[in-house]
Amino acid sequence: MLKHTPFHDFHVNAGGKMVDFAGWDLPILYKSIVDEHHHTRNSGSIFDVSHMGRVRFSGPDALKFLDTILTRKIVDQKPGVSRYSLVCNDAGGVLDDVIVSRDSKDWLMVCNASNREKLLKHFREVRSKHDFDFDFNDQTESTAMIALQGPKVIERLADILPGDLRGLKRYHFYNDSVMLVKFSAFRSGYTGEDGIELILGAKMAAMAMKMLAGGLEKENATIRPAGLGARDTLRLEAGMPLYGHELLEDRNALCSGLNFAIDLSKDFIGATALRDVATKGPPQKLVGLELEGKRIARQGSPVLLEGKPIGEITSGTLSPTLGKSIAMAYIDSAHTAEGTALSVDLKGTINPGKIVKLPFYKRP
Amino acid sequence: MSIPTDRTYLETHEWHKADGDTVVIGITQIAVDQLTDITFVSLPKVGTKVTAGGRFGEVESVKATSDLYSGVDGEVIEVNDSLNTDPGTINRDPYNDGWMIKIKSSSPVTGGKLLSAKDYEAKVAH
């Protein structure tokens, strides 16, 4: 039995094509992935991301615990600030990528839906091993989360939502309430566009949706619903990694190029292994590829240099914004220079391409 | 959703419409709905021989790549080249403008694995 988010009825009524995504019944699209993609880049979209895990940490050792499991430094993180980080295993492989926000009294972690159970188990194991004194509360199913993304989102919502949305800095958040509905607004997202992500109580979600996005079913609405399909093409254009594609348990975190989120000067689970990799240099690195023609490179396709395999595609699509076939791939570190001519084996067809700089798309 | 009754279907979602000894092949609305936005089509050249149950090309969308199958034997006599520049035609009009190939066929568009509209609908209905 698939889980339903608080917006399930909304998706079905809006014609959403529902699919099983990490055990949740969610819309992959409403009408067209490409149209929803363009509408996000040109105006605004609302995405139901309630399936993502939301876990709060409180108690005397909450900070110490988070500092132990996160690759990013958080001891200097101020209330009202969010940070992107990785959670690693002892070998330096990635258990998940998360966003950790410091609230006035506790901490909130947003994680991938597919990794929630695994992380909760990890938290329990680390807590008992280190005898940390803290509580964690999985609020995934008692809350809802939506992402509003696109160039017109902030202006459209600034007059509806209380609080200084226009003045809210990137990777900052605030808590407020509107008509007794408490919410948290984060200036973050996963599309490469400006926008916000909102968390609110599950019971209030349907009402809030109407208020925030009244008339969004209309063709000319500023903000329209978009599904998981567009979310994936948008994040790929923006060069953002996706767990299960670019980030994996058996893939060393330093290969991903997310060095800004890995602080080797502090101790955390996986730090020893990662320091060792940092000294030698990671064997492979994540790169962006642009392919000739319109064919899409799929995950697992071999990447070739002068006919010899040097890596593998992790994600690919036909970029709706650029009209080009783009992909991300892990390839041997010796061959990662921008402009390097490579090819991709697409089920026996050798398709030429080259290494390009990430991200593929940057908002103007 | 209505499935045209003037043609026959493979379970793999290709429609076959007879016009004299020519057979036109395309893919169904159901296939299009599953694929979502089509980004690329690979079709055979004129003169290529196809066999019933054989693969004649492939279609790609943002979501997936699928092989295309013929339900009849014959030789390709015409290819819808406009799909190379605008594969979205298949999304907009799969049963007419989105046709893919025409085959001069030596076999009928019934029998074998070819299904009537009603049987196709029954097979693919969930």
Side-chain angles (χ1 to χ4, degrees), chain A residues 178-190:
Chain A
V178 55
M179 298 192 325
L180 300 174
V181 179
K182 286 184 189 162
F183 69 87
S184 303
F186 303 77
R187 191 88 174 242
S188 52
Y190 192 52

Side-chain angles (χ1 to χ4, degrees), chain B residues 70-96:
Chain B
S70 170
V72 294
D73 295 323
E75 184 180 322
V76 178
I77 53 164
E78 203 180 331
V79 177
N80 188 353
D81 288 324
S82 75
L83 300 180
N84 290 330
T85 47
D86 187 11
T89 309
I90 304 166
N91 289 100
R92 292 188 295 274
D93 191 11
Y95 291 120
N96 298 296

Side-chain angles (χ1 to χ4, degrees), chain A residues 149-306:
Chain A
Q149 302 280 297
K152 295 185 181 168
V153 162
I154 298 294
E155 278 310 305
R156 175 81 172 74
L157 296 181
D159 298 327
I160 304 173
L161 282 181
D164 183 15
L165 204 55
R166 287 186 189 90
L168 185 66
K169 287 190 213 145
R170 196 94 187 129
Y171 278 91
H172 282 61
F173 71 96
Y174 67 85
N175 304 314
D176 212 320
S177 65
V178 55
M179 298 192 325
L180 300 174
V181 179
K182 286 184 189 162
F183 69 87
S184 303
F186 303 77
R187 191 88 174 242
S188 52
Y190 192 52
T191 60
E193 294 301 324
D194 193 6
I196 60 163
E197 294 178 297
L198 292 176
I199 296 178
L200 64 165
K203 286 180 186 139
M204 298 300 180
M207 190 189 97
M209 185 76 142
K210 272 188 195 139
M211 192 185 73
L212 283 174
L216 56 64
E217 65 284 357
K218 290 185 192 136
E219 284 294 315
N220 62 354
T222 306
I223 298 173
R224 295 212 305 246
L228 294 167
R231 191 170 150 80
D232 188 46
T233 54
L234 288 158
R235 71 92 196 167
L236 183 48
E237 280 186 352
M240 293 169 165
L242 173 63
Y243 196 86
H245 288 254
E246 286 72 35
L247 303 176
L248 299 159
E249 271 183 56
D250 56 6
R251 171 70 72 179
N252 189 281
L254 281 172
C255 298
S256 65
L258 296 167
N259 297 35
F260 76 94
I262 304 168
D263 186 346
L264 294 177
S265 73
K266 67 154 202 156
D267 276 322
F268 59 88
I269 294 169
T272 311
L274 289 174
R275 280 189 204 110
D276 189 41
V277 171
T279 314
K280 296 181 201 149
Q284 289 200 318
K285 282 183 189 163
L286 188 67
V287 296
L289 296 181
E290 201 179 285
L291 306 188
E292 288 175 23
K294 304 273 182 189
R295 299 202 59 183
I296 296 174
R298 310 281 174 186
Q299 183 172 30
S301 300
V303 179
L304 315 171
L305 176 72
E306 289 159 4

